Amino acid sequence: ATRDLVTNRPEQNFVEKVTIVTSRTEYETFVAEQAETVPLYYHPWWLDAVTGGAKGWQPWCALSDDGRVLAVFPLYTPVRGVAISPPYTQVGGIYFSPEGEGGKGAPKSNHGIFVQRRKITMAFVEAMPQFKYFEVPFPTSFTDWLPYYWQGYSSFVRYSYARRLPEDEKDLLASENRDIRHKISLAKQLGYQYQEASTPDDLLRLSHTLYRKKGLARHLLSTLEHTVDVAMSRGQGLLPTIYSKEGDLLAAGFTPYEGSTGYLIASASVGGKEHKAAPAYLIHSTMLALARCHLTHFDFEGSMLQGVEAVFRSFYGEQYLFYRISKGSLSLVQRLRLAYHYRQLHAHR
């Protein structure tokens, strides 16, 4: 009797079969129909830019019986046996479609939606090849990673911050903490100037120094330069800079936008306590500029570093978490191949 009750529940009949396909057409249609809500990192133009072109990633899609796209997974495999997130891409993995849940025969209850998403996740896990190394951060909408756990994967919780953009500077200052307000006031007293660049030269100049000091992979900067060029050519990017009253470059950033959200993908500043107000003034001014472009949200594209997290939190963003799911480890050969891949990715620049 119990078995009959379970199998006869309406939500158990949703999505009788989930088919996993790789289709650029299906993927592009899915994103285009939900362009306002799909995160930047899932848009084909962004993925093409950061991976070196349309062949740099694989557009996996989960289809229902009636052909609706229920979810997508942009898969990036830069070297054989390795699946990771592309450079300058905070999240990837499975992104579920709210539209798919609203189609014919779609679940109406929360439990029904859970059952459907579980089935989709299991279908992706079963369809994808077994990678020697897998490490992908999933979007905040993805919460049920048990199908991966059952297959030997691990997860690590990461945090970021996002917030609504202000209507004006008075509104923004009221929503920033005392330390940030002090730095904004100091920047104005010192005569700091906010400007918007048309090329990434300033950002790259500061980033080269930052990457060298932090021991980061400087060969990735050619990918950043290419991605900036693509975003700016589409009219979907902002290159904010802060200059001193004397004309010295103090800080620079790159904030592409998609839908109603701007993303702080990269930023760098000069060192020294005498210029401590510059990074805060850069973010503050960037948010005001995005608001003037009629965007409504700002994603800090977070960091787990204590000092960086503290700065982002000071802007009173709302904390959100997401899972980084992983399995296996990189061999020495794979590390060398991956480094070579990145050096060649946009080596023509």
Side-chain angles (χ1 to χ4, degrees):
T2 303
R3 184 179 301 114
D4 289 342
L5 286 172
V6 172
T7 56
N8 288 333
R9 284 177 180 169
E11 58 262 31
Q12 297 294 330
N13 297 323
F14 300 143
V15 195
E16 295 177 358
K17 181 181 179 182
V18 176
T19 303
I20 304 297
V21 301
T22 54
S23 170
R24 176 90 181 195
T25 301
E26 294 282 5
Y27 188 102
E28 288 183 341
T29 301
F30 169 88
V31 172
E33 290 177 349
Q34 304 178 73
E36 287 296 312
T37 55
V38 174
L40 166 74
Y41 312 111
Y42 288 85
H43 283 257
W45 73 265
W46 178 265
L47 290 163
D48 288 349
V50 295
T51 65
K55 294 183 179 180
W57 60 283
Q58 302 168 32
W60 288 65
C61 305
L63 305 182
S64 67
D65 283 340
D66 58 2
R68 285 176 293 119
V69 179
L70 301 171
V72 294
F73 190 136
L75 184 65
Y76 178 54
T77 55
V79 298
R80 181 177 297 180
V82 175
I84 56 178
S85 58
Y88 305 104
T89 301
Q90 182 178 348
V91 297
I94 301 171
Y95 183 82
F96 297 107
S97 168
E99 293 298 324
E101 291 167 356
K104 181 180 179 181
K108 307 301 182 192
S109 68
N110 289 336
H111 180 70
I113 293 173
F114 173 84
V115 169
Q116 174 171 282
R117 290 187 169 189
R118 168 69 63 81
K119 194 172 294 187
I120 292 168
T121 302
M122 293 180 70
F124 273 118
V125 173
E126 294 169 2
M128 287 188 173
Q130 291 295 311
F131 297 101
K132 292 183 179 179
Y133 181 68
F134 180 99
E135 184 178 273
V136 177
F138 281 54
T140 186
S141 59
F142 183 89
T143 57
D144 176 30
W145 72 281
L146 281 176
Y148 282 96
Y149 174 74
W150 293 328
Q151 295 300 317
Y153 290 78
S154 300
S155 76
F156 180 78
V157 175
R158 296 188 63 84
Y159 294 92
S160 187
Y161 289 88
R163 57 160 294 164
R164 285 193 62 86
L165 288 170
E167 294 183 2
D168 51 39
E169 187 167 27
K170 181 180 179 181
D171 181 37
L172 178 58
L173 286 168
S175 64
E176 295 169 337
N177 75 6
R178 181 185 302 176
D179 181 59
I180 295 297
R181 291 197 301 270
H182 171 71
K183 289 178 179 177
I184 302 309
S185 176
L186 177 62
K188 292 180 178 180
Q189 290 175 20
L190 293 173
Y192 286 2
Q193 300 295 317
Y194 169 79
Q195 300 177 23
E196 293 174 10
S198 57
T199 68
D201 295 346
D202 288 342
L203 173 63
L204 293 172
R205 181 150 46 100
L206 292 178
S207 295
H208 271 288
T209 302
L210 173 66
Y211 278 42
R212 185 177 65 252
K213 287 182 177 179
K214 300 292 186 181
L216 302 176
R218 280 179 285 169
H219 50 263
L220 288 177
L221 290 176
S222 60
T223 297
L224 176 61
E225 182 180 5
H226 173 74
T227 305
V228 169
D229 287 346
V230 172
M232 298 301 286
S233 68
R234 293 174 58 90
Q236 290 183 247
L238 196 66
L239 288 167
T241 60
I242 301 297
Y243 278 85
S244 70
K245 183 170 60 176
E246 293 75 26
D248 297 321
L249 176 65
L250 301 180
F254 169 48
T255 307
Y257 43 87
E258 184 60 70
S260 59
T261 303
Y263 299 79
L264 183 63
I265 295 298
S267 64
S269 60
V270 298
K273 292 183 178 180
E274 66 272 22
H275 303 306
K276 65 179 182 179
Y281 195 49
L282 178 77
I283 296 175
H284 175 90
S285 302
T286 298
M287 286 195 282
L288 290 176
L290 292 172
R292 289 193 294 269
C293 294
H294 307 292
L295 276 72
T296 59
H297 289 81
F298 184 72
D299 193 319
F300 291 88
E301 214 263 342
S303 172
M304 297 285 279
L305 298 175
Q306 187 173 6
V308 179
E309 185 273 346
V311 172
F312 290 167
R313 179 163 36 85
S314 298
F315 285 93
Y316 285 10
E318 180 179 350
Q319 187 187 72
Y320 64 87
L321 63 84
F322 55 97
Y323 292 104
R324 185 182 68 195
I325 298 176
S326 63
K327 186 177 183 181
S329 59
L330 283 172
S331 67
L332 176 60
V333 172
Q334 288 173 327
R335 290 179 186 276
L336 292 173
R337 288 176 177 172
L338 194 57
Y340 177 79
H341 169 82
Y342 286 138
R343 288 190 178 92
Q344 298 298 312
L345 190 57
H346 294 104
H348 60 281
R349 299 197 65 86

